Amino acid sequence: RNLAIATISDLLAAGVAPRFFLSSLALPRAVDLAFADGLASGLASALAEAGCIHCGGDLGTADPWRFTGFAMGPVARAQPLTRRVPEGAQALCVTGALGDLNLAVFCGHPTPALELRLQEAEWIRTHASACIDTSGGFFDALWLLHQQSPGVRFRVNRQAIPLAPGVRTFSQTQGIPPEAVLLGGAGEYELLFTVPAGVMAESPPIFAQAGITVVGDTAAGAAGIVIQDNG
């Protein structure tokens, strides 16, 4: 399921409605049938939820096993969403909570389940000005937006960043800042996006329903990223 969601997430970040899915799967030579069945059912459940048709692909064997996913669909707006943030005043927003996959890596736990952000993506397709997924972690995604947006200053409110359960406890026991969990490369595939300030003034109900958080803002000026602490 995570493999399908990670593939589809790239389309959601580009304002695309996923419709068709292809995969290349190389299973272990001594494959456990329960593993193969579980992998197939996980893919099927995510694709069914997304309304995305699995059109086939390639099946083989390899050690270690490997998977490649490909998804496509129509751009649901005049132009696809990009990672380039406009210079006007924007709100910086993110779906879900952050840091749970990096936390699992730190602690040696199994990978948590990813969230398929279909409802949020539908709103983002209509209203957002730029978007990226956090496949490489929150700060990696923020840095990529910064690199693609010359002349834009990003300001992040440290207190507003939604951290996954367990992150603060872990950071206290390890003696590190909670934000350290957002620096690792095991991203959670949430959607990090900007919305014109005027749109945000309407306080869309989906923000409360779907758990979208405003974590900062952007403005034209000296390009860079500023982390703000208690104002």
Side-chain angles (χ1 to χ4, degrees), residues 13-15 77 79-85 129-132 145 194:
R77 46 189 278 165
Q79 295 291 332
L81 272 171
T82 72
R83 299 174 178 181
R84 189 175 183 117
V85 178
S129 52
C131 187
I132 188 174
L145 286 181
T194 56

Side-chain angles (χ1 to χ4, degrees), residues 92-93 98 138-139 142-143 153-162 179 182 192 214-218 224-231:
L92 183 66
C93 312
L98 304 170
F138 173 74
F139 281 117
L142 183 62
W143 185 257
R153 180 175 181 265
F154 293 80
R155 184 172 57 181
V156 177
N157 177 2
R158 180 173 179 251
Q159 279 72 38
I161 299 174
E179 293 78 19
L182 307 182
L192 178 65
V214 180
V215 294
D217 56 30
T218 75
I225 297 173
V226 175
I227 310 299
Q228 203 170 38
D229 189 34
N230 290 318

Side-chain angles (χ1 to χ4, degrees), residues 4-229:
I5 292 174
T7 306
I8 291 171
S9 177
D10 284 321
L11 269 66
L12 300 183
V16 174
R19 289 294 176 264
F20 304 106
F21 193 92
L22 292 166
S23 63
S24 175
L25 174 62
L27 289 167
R29 289 178 174 82
V31 65
D32 183 334
L33 290 180
F35 172 82
D37 288 345
L39 196 151
S41 64
L43 284 174
S45 69
L47 296 179
E49 189 177 335
C52 197
I53 300 169
H54 195 288
C55 301
D58 185 62
L59 181 63
T61 59
D63 291 306
W65 73 278
R66 57 182 74 100
F67 173 89
T68 302
F70 168 82
M72 62 186 297
V75 176
R77 46 189 278 165
Q79 295 291 332
L81 272 171
T82 72
R83 299 174 178 181
R84 189 175 183 117
V85 178
E87 292 189 4
Q90 308 279 321
L92 183 66
C93 312
V94 71
T95 60
L98 304 170
D100 51 348
L101 268 77
N102 277 317
L103 180 62
V105 173
F106 282 134
C107 298
H109 295 162
T111 304
L114 301 178
E115 300 290 340
L116 185 55
R117 299 296 184 188
L118 296 172
Q119 180 188 13
E120 299 89 327
E122 186 174 349
W123 190 89
I124 290 169
R125 279 198 291 270
T126 305
H127 299 93
S129 52
C131 187
I132 188 174
D133 71 13
T134 63
S135 57
F138 173 74
F139 281 117
D140 177 69
L142 183 62
W143 185 257
L144 288 170
L145 286 181
H146 153 68
Q147 287 184 312
Q148 294 293 316
S149 309
V152 174
R153 180 175 181 265
F154 293 80
R155 184 172 57 181
V156 177
N157 177 2
R158 180 173 179 251
Q159 279 72 38
I161 299 174
L163 297 173
V167 167
R168 293 194 184 280
T169 300
F170 172 79
S171 69
Q172 290 169 0
T173 59
Q174 298 298 313
I176 61 174
E179 293 78 19
V181 178
L182 307 182
L183 287 169
E188 52 284 301
Y189 290 86
E190 295 293 350
L191 299 174
L192 178 65
F193 61 98
T194 56
V195 182
V199 174
M200 289 303 303
E202 302 170 8
S203 300
I206 189 174
F207 274 42
Q209 297 167 5
I212 295 175
T213 305
V214 180
V215 294
D217 56 30
T218 75
I225 297 173
V226 175
I227 310 299
Q228 203 170 38
D229 189 34

